[in-house]
Amino acid sequence: MKAIVQTGPKSVEIQERDQPTIAPDELLVKVHTAGLCGSDAHAYKYDGGYEWIPIPRIMGHEYSGEVTAVGDDVEGFAPGDRIIEEPIHDCGHCFQCKNGQPNVCQNFSITGMHRDGAYAEYVAVAPEHVHAVPESVPLRHAAITEPTSIATRAVLEQSVTKPGDTVLVEGPGPIGVLVAAVADSLGANVVVSGLDQDASYRLPLLEDLGIPTVDVQSADLDAAAERHTDGIGFDVVFDSTGHHSGIVTANDHVRKGGQIVVVGIPNDSSQVTLTSTVRGEVDINTSYGSTWTNFEQALRLMERGEIAVDDIIDTSYDVDEPRDAFEAFLASETCKPVFQFN
């Protein structure tokens, strides 16, 4: 079978690999569409914190597909079932798992990193990690269920966002775009901030979705905050930048009594002055990964047509030239490239 394999830092190539042989307790899935996300880009560069990934490795953890074979010990599945996988597998035994917090499991493993992933024509998966895709949701849409589930957790569980709230989302990467889309679906008044590098693709994408944006390198974020919040400050600020300056900017623009939710993982330490945060009783929360419920929330939002998936995904990148997609993503020339295997 055809597979996208990482062979070194910034080195990916198409290889022919054997089709997986499933164990009695596994499903064989024919991959339809697989997405590229920020963690894939970090792994592609072999950034700090990703050097543990064994190379060569078939990449990819966001995908949708169709069951083609069912292990002898598996019940409740049949060939033709349309599924997506929860790619971060919790251990089920550590304190966090037993405490109902599997998204922060101490012993997690990730498809496409700890084991070969879904940038291939076929992948094997245990049934406890899959969700059925509703009939009305195309498989190309379902491929981004995992990043959408991260957004549903951030907005619906980890934030206090309500209809009519003013919301600032910092960073128009895939997670930022999806956080904005989920908050918008609630009826919040959302603004997304980005940089000059986002002005050619990512910010216009959001404008096309009806979500106003501000390029903080060419426009005044203070002025935008004044305009959108009548000078009060944003009710909720989501930091999805993955940059240490994001929390500082969030702290500057959240209102007294408001909330900051950090979704992106900061790339370095930041110097945050908390005097105004404490005096303003600003709530600072974090959001990491997602749970079974968040995946179901994501699928339901897609089923209702609340997420403009066809506008968000970029199908222009060829499976046979995967490096183009990674380099374009890193240059902010695209937002959510997907590889279509079927």
Side-chain angles (χ1 to χ4, degrees), residues 12-339:
V12 290
E13 59 184 55
I14 294 297
Q15 294 183 2
E16 281 296 320
R17 291 291 190 92
D18 291 338
Q19 181 176 305
T21 300
I22 60 170
D25 59 351
E26 290 183 317
L27 304 168
L28 182 66
V29 177
K30 183 175 178 61
V31 176
H32 185 280
T33 303
L36 190 160
C37 80
S39 59
D40 294 315
H42 285 299
Y44 167 73
K45 293 193 296 177
Y46 228 49
D47 279 342
Y50 289 82
E51 309 97 324
W52 56 266
I53 299 173
I55 287 180
R57 172 67 81 215
I58 299 175
M59 304 180 75
H61 62 276
E62 303 175 1
Y63 73 96
S64 62
E66 186 174 296
V67 174
T68 60
V70 179
D72 292 340
D73 295 343
V74 177
E75 297 181 353
F77 291 88
D81 288 348
R82 303 158 72 249
I83 63 93
I84 56 93
E85 177 188 350
E86 287 189 42
I88 302 179
H89 299 179
D90 61 82
C91 72
H93 306 296
C94 70
F95 173 84
Q96 281 73 21
C97 286
K98 291 181 177 180
N99 199 44
Q101 300 168 304
N103 60 305
V104 288
C105 169
Q106 294 182 39
N107 309 302
F108 66 87
S109 65
I110 306 174
T111 298
M113 294 184 183
H114 292 87
R115 56 190 166 273
D116 280 341
Y119 286 172
E121 292 181 280
Y122 292 89
V123 65
V125 61
E128 61 264 30
H129 302 303
V130 306
H131 294 251
V133 176
E135 282 301 318
S136 62
V137 178
L139 283 176
R140 70 180 183 279
H141 290 193
I144 67 165
T145 302
E146 193 265 348
T148 307
S149 76
I150 292 173
T152 60
R153 178 171 183 78
V155 177
L156 303 181
E157 292 191 11
Q158 299 298 96
S159 88
V160 295
T161 306
K162 304 182 299 299
D165 280 351
T166 57
V167 171
L168 173 65
V169 179
E170 300 177 304
I175 299 302
V177 168
L178 289 165
V179 165
V182 174
D184 182 66
S185 76
L186 280 183
N189 299 304
V190 184
V191 180
V192 179
S193 64
L195 305 174
D196 285 347
Q197 66 190 35
D198 304 309
S200 63
Y201 186 97
R202 294 178 175 181
L203 295 180
L205 164 64
L206 286 152
E207 294 282 352
D208 288 344
L209 298 179
I211 296 173
T213 65
V214 55
D215 177 349
V216 299
Q217 289 181 299
S218 61
D220 187 353
L221 183 55
D222 289 337
E226 177 78 25
R227 184 168 65 255
H228 288 283
T229 72
D230 294 328
I232 297 170
F234 290 96
D235 297 302
V236 182
V237 180
F238 293 92
D239 173 22
S240 60
T241 62
H243 192 272
H244 62 268
S245 63
I247 186 67
V248 178
T249 303
N251 199 45
D252 289 341
H253 293 94
V254 69
R255 68 167 174 82
K256 287 186 175 182
Q259 184 189 45
I260 297 169
V261 181
V262 182
V263 187
I265 299 175
N267 62 350
D268 204 344
S269 60
S270 58
Q271 298 288 330
V272 184
T273 301
L274 295 178
T275 302
S276 63
T277 313
V278 175
R279 287 178 173 167
E281 202 173 42
V282 172
D283 175 37
I284 300 179
N285 202 2
T286 59
S287 186
Y288 181 75
S290 54
T291 65
W292 183 91
T293 299
N294 304 136
F295 274 79
E296 289 296 311
Q297 290 168 332
L299 288 166
R300 298 290 86 75
L301 285 174
M302 292 185 201
E303 188 176 29
R304 289 170 52 86
E306 298 288 349
I307 309 295
V309 181
D310 277 326
D311 294 314
I312 293 171
I313 63 173
D314 183 352
T315 61
S316 66
Y317 294 95
D318 195 321
V319 169
D320 294 323
E321 298 291 340
R323 188 176 184 276
D324 292 345
F326 282 96
E327 292 297 328
F329 181 89
L330 290 170
S332 299
E333 295 169 357
T334 185
C335 182
K336 176 51 72 176
V338 297
F339 299 112

